[in-house]
Amino acid sequence: GALYVSGANQVTTNRPIAYSGANARLIIHKPSDTVIVSSVVGSGDPHLLFSVAASDKWAFHANCFFDVGAGGAAIFATGTATATSLVLGDSISGRHISGAIGTTVVQLQGAQAKLVQIDGTLDVNAAGTIGIGFNQYVSDTAGTVLKKGSTIEAVRISPA
């Protein structure tokens, strides 16, 4: 079952959460590594995601620790929700984009260890989940890893 949070209360968890009340805040801590090897197919991280209701508005910040193999990485927002508005920015390129869930926000090319910070706002159309996804930029046998200890923090700006 889901864990419900309301008002100014906070919770730390590693699975999707449902909310009641405005200004609900959550911090999700990634409990283990997620590895993608030899694949340019996008995958949502199983830990860094949360549930959103239709017509909600959210702001979020993610600290994503990556160990990137030679294949690099493409990083994006993912989930089952749909958005009337999604704006994302990242700490690597310094740019921001508006787009649909699944639009790549930043690409890392070549082997490197990197902290990627992603900030975003989301106006939800249809309820579902939202979170961080990634894949290899170029398919390679050297894995791309989203590391344990990565976090996503989200604040519900307005309820449905």
Side-chain angles (χ1 to χ4, degrees):
L3 175 62
Y4 289 86
V5 178
S6 63
N9 297 324
Q10 301 176 34
V11 66
T12 300
T13 185
N14 60 9
R15 60 182 162 206
I17 299 175
Y19 293 86
S20 64
N23 301 316
R25 178 175 181 244
L26 67 98
I27 300 171
I28 301 170
H29 177 266
K30 186 166 175 47
S32 60
D33 292 353
T34 301
V35 181
I36 294 179
V37 176
S38 300
S39 179
V40 295
V41 176
S43 176
D45 183 75
H47 308 117
L48 297 182
L49 76 160
F50 57 97
S51 298
V52 294
S55 302
D56 274 359
K57 296 183 186 318
W58 287 84
F60 59 91
H61 174 81
N63 286 310
C64 299
F65 302 102
F66 281 95
D67 280 345
V68 180
I75 304 156
F76 50 90
T78 188
T80 60
T82 60
T84 56
S85 172
L86 174 65
V87 179
L88 298 168
D90 72 275
S91 61
I92 304 299
S93 71
R95 67 184 179 98
H96 72 277
I97 61 165
S98 297
I101 293 171
T103 303
T104 297
V105 63
V106 64
Q107 295 175 344
L108 304 175
Q109 297 181 5
Q112 56 187 296
K114 190 70 85 172
L115 165 62
V116 177
Q117 295 178 321
I118 300 171
D119 291 295
T121 59
L122 171 71
D123 293 355
V124 181
N125 181 32
T129 59
I130 185 78
I132 301 299
F134 71 103
N135 55 266
Q136 290 185 310
Y137 183 70
V138 175
S139 182
D140 190 85
T141 57
T144 296
V145 183
L146 180 53
K147 301 294 288 176
K148 172 183 177 178
S150 296
T151 60
I152 189 167
E153 181 174 354
V155 176
R156 185 183 197 182
I157 298 167
S158 66

